Amino acid sequence: MQQMADMSIIFHLLTVVGLFTILILVTKFLNLVIVYLRPSRLIRYAHPSVNGDAPWALVTGASDGIGRAFARQLAAAGFNVVLHGRNHDKLSGAMAQLQLQFPRREFMIIIADASCVSCADCIHHGSQNQNNHNKKLDSSTPDFAAIQQKLGSMNLTVLINNAGGGPVEAKFEPVSASPEITVTENISLNALFPLHLTSALLPTLVRNGPSLVMNLSTMADQGFPLIAYYSASKAFLMATTRALRLEMQMEDLGGGSDVEILGIRVGRVTDTTFCREPPSLFLPSAETLASAALARAGYGNGIVEGYWAHALQQLSARLFAILPKWVEDKVVVDTMRKHRESVRQDRKKE
């Protein structure tokens, strides 16, 4: 009898644990659904200044692809747009096309190579900060003080840190085969440039609040083989996003800023330099992705997948957490081997 009573207690405990687990999963799924059903609140940041100046948005990496799509979406939403890139001709062409599409908007360009953030040795020796007032914004090395000075008087309310180097550029190579300059430039592009740019422009964004900082990452930011430094630099950006969001909350507790810090994790996207496949359910166009990402703004989401189908992919990936670690590792390794082989085959066809 005692054994049956013990078994009954165990059965009831397992039932409670099972129901509690199901409740957690259902709650997480409903929260996920709500994120993608709520209407856009981007209009919250499209407000004039106290002097009646129109709102401005800065989009990094705006020459083409997702960056240019962000610029179009923001212009359509009522923003004047600053386009950043490293190629003057491409940026000028993008600005000309946008001006034709949106004749009532203003556009300007900033030229700076995000992969060339000054090294610590340069800063120690003062080369980065010499004659800041005489520097132009068409210099290849980013001059954050000059950028801040140029945009500081504008009603800048949105910063989209979109510029970044993807796994195709990283060539799916192991760390041991990665030249020092390649690693350094990629980390500068994905981690240091958005951090320094945000730091330089944050006082302006705080003054013009409510404002938005959106940082774009990747669903591969959790440590993937063959793209180690790319994956790590994007993880750095998301850790920065979380930390800065909490800093803004601390400022709010003191009656301070109204700046939303939003991290957007992105899966594969077409209509970009490195992908021209037809759009599909899990492969949105750059325009679709930009529109979806901007629709996530205004709710204090923290870090989310910008596009709902990418969120489903990420949810499926998280199910691997219940499997033994070696199973999850094997899936990741096999997946990256297939990606590397696919890239090699594509290069042979070129």
Side-chain angles (χ1 to χ4, degrees), residues 10-21:
I10 293 174
F11 175 78
H12 282 92
L13 285 174
L14 291 175
T15 301
V16 171
V17 170
L19 290 174
F20 185 68
T21 302

Side-chain angles (χ1 to χ4, degrees), residues 86 113-117 165 179-193 229 233:
R86 60 183 178 181
D113 190 342
S115 67
C116 293
V117 171
E180 181 181 347
I181 186 62
T182 300
V183 175
T184 302
E185 287 181 345
N186 198 257
I187 293 174
S188 171
L189 174 63
N190 292 312
L192 298 180
F193 180 78
Y229 47 88
S233 61

Side-chain angles (χ1 to χ4, degrees), residues 18-145:
L19 290 174
F20 185 68
T21 302
I22 292 173
L23 179 61
I24 291 175
L25 292 174
V26 170
T27 301
K28 287 186 175 182
F29 179 76
L30 290 176
N31 287 336
L32 181 67
V33 170
I34 291 172
V35 167
Y36 299 96
L37 288 180
R38 292 182 295 197
S40 173
R41 283 186 178 175
L42 182 63
I43 191 65
R44 182 171 189 266
Y45 307 112
H47 59 83
S49 69
V50 293
N51 297 322
D53 297 328
W56 281 83
L58 167 59
V59 181
T60 68
S63 298
D64 50 29
I66 298 174
R68 189 186 292 195
F70 269 116
R72 278 194 295 268
Q73 291 289 328
L74 288 162
F79 292 87
N80 298 329
V81 185
V82 182
L83 309 173
H84 158 268
R86 60 183 178 181
N87 186 302
H88 186 279
D89 291 340
K90 288 179 66 175
L91 269 185
S92 296
M95 183 172 68
Q97 289 185 5
L98 288 166
Q99 194 69 74
L100 286 174
Q101 288 180 279
F102 305 98
R104 299 178 62 184
R105 304 285 175 254
E106 294 182 45
F107 299 91
M108 65 172 290
I109 62 176
I110 289 179
I111 311 298
D113 190 342
S115 67
C116 293
V117 171
S118 292
C119 63
D121 184 62
C122 298
I123 295 173
H124 285 317
H125 287 83
S127 62
Q128 171 67 8
N129 295 314
Q130 290 176 358
N131 302 319
N132 271 335
H133 294 292
N134 297 322
K135 289 186 177 180
K136 297 180 180 179
L137 292 181
D138 59 359
S139 172
S140 60
T141 301
D143 182 351
F144 300 104

